[in-house]
Amino acid sequence: MQGKRTPGLRALAFDVFGTVVDWRSTVIREGRALGQAKGLDVDWPAFADAWRDGYGPSMGRVRRGELPWKTIDELHRMILDELLARFGIGGLSEAEKEDFNRVWHRLDPWPDSVDGLARLRREFIVASLSNGNVALLVNMAKHAGLPWDAVLSAELAGRYKPDLEVYRKAADLLGLAPGEVMMVAAHKGDLRAAGAAGLRTAFVPRPRERPNRDIDLSYDAAFDVNARDFLDLADQLGT
């Protein structure tokens, strides 16, 4: 099928962390539950932000060849071990550390995500395109009820976004030309890279992702579509 209002558009590829799911609230909630169970006095919002802040630099080390290829699960665990020391958190068993690291498999969707994806799926192929590894994304989809047609990951390209090969690999895996795929993200850098790789782009700001940060959420004419949420995106694409 092709979009009624977007000739030639066949598929939508979605960034996941922050765009489809609310990572921050989930990490804070599970951190507080862990803290209550273990008697820990921790600033969990600061912990969640620090965990996410380690994401880009750790991927950068892989991209520069300073580290061998590692999945996001492995990078999350590296960051977690550093944060446990930084925040003075002790007394956790290996099983408890590993379970907490897998909080990223249990992230809750934004309120519009499931219904919006279901609507878009009537007209288009809908796929993840995340730096998260395949196992993480599959588990997350099961937890959150995300109706993907395909679970695509940077892991399949052996690179991380924003390397252009990740976007091109996604289109190739779907049997499509880059221009037949639209990248949907809440992060403008992701979309600029996707556009440079030949994909169409849709910006869906998520102001609650980092409510304590000054992030550019403004309309941007550089993108093919600017939408309030996934339901508005479905309206604009005629589904």
Side-chain angles (χ1 to χ4, degrees):
M1 303 178 101
Q2 297 192 24
K4 297 169 186 174
R5 301 183 190 176
T6 49
L9 182 62
R10 303 284 301 280
L12 304 175
F14 290 78
D15 172 62
V16 176
F17 297 115
T19 299
V20 179
V21 294
D22 178 6
W23 60 267
R24 189 172 189 268
S25 295
T26 309
V27 172
I28 291 170
R29 184 183 68 241
E30 291 214 15
R32 285 173 172 161
L34 178 64
Q36 185 174 21
K38 303 294 288 186
L40 303 172
D41 183 15
V42 176
D43 182 344
W44 290 109
F47 188 98
D49 288 337
W51 205 350
R52 183 64 173 172
D53 287 345
Y55 179 75
S58 64
M59 287 189 300
R61 293 179 65 193
V62 175
R63 294 175 67 215
R64 292 190 299 272
E66 296 171 13
L67 288 174
W69 173 261
K70 291 184 180 293
T71 67
I72 289 298
D73 274 338
E74 292 173 313
L75 294 180
H76 277 155
R77 180 57 195 267
M78 286 175 51
I79 302 163
L80 174 61
D81 288 342
E82 294 170 2
L83 293 180
L84 293 176
R86 187 195 311 175
F87 281 79
I89 300 172
L92 299 184
S93 68
E94 176 60 27
E96 288 169 331
K97 293 175 186 177
E98 188 57 29
D99 181 68
F100 191 36
N101 193 56
R102 289 174 68 87
V103 66
W104 299 93
H105 293 227
R106 303 187 290 267
L107 303 180
D108 294 336
W110 295 114
D112 60 279
S113 290
V114 174
D115 289 346
L117 289 171
R119 277 185 57 189
L120 291 160
R121 190 169 178 254
R122 297 173 194 165
E123 190 75 28
F124 305 101
I125 297 166
V126 296
S128 63
L129 184 53
S130 170
N131 284 327
N133 45 293
V134 172
L136 181 158
L137 295 171
V138 168
N139 291 336
M140 183 196 298
K142 294 286 282 185
H143 169 83
L146 304 174
W148 300 126
D149 290 310
V151 174
L152 303 183
S153 162
E155 181 181 22
L156 300 174
R159 295 174 177 267
Y160 283 124
K161 294 187 297 178
D163 286 355
L164 302 190
E165 291 85 352
V166 176
Y167 307 97
R168 293 171 179 151
K169 182 67 171 180
D172 184 58
L173 288 169
L174 293 174
L176 301 174
E180 295 177 298
V181 181
M182 176 176 281
M183 185 73 203
V184 182
H187 312 114
K188 292 186 174 182
D190 197 356
L191 295 176
R192 292 188 186 103
L199 278 65
R200 304 190 205 189
T201 52
F203 178 54
V204 181
R206 296 297 193 184
R208 289 173 47 209
E209 181 192 4
R210 302 299 291 265
N212 57 340
R213 301 288 175 91
D214 183 16
I215 294 173
D216 182 7
L217 303 170
S218 62
Y219 174 95
D220 196 322
F223 306 131
D224 296 286
V225 177
N226 287 258
R228 293 186 305 275
D229 56 25
F230 288 177
L231 298 175
D232 184 38
L233 179 62
D235 286 343
Q236 293 194 46
L237 296 181
T239 65

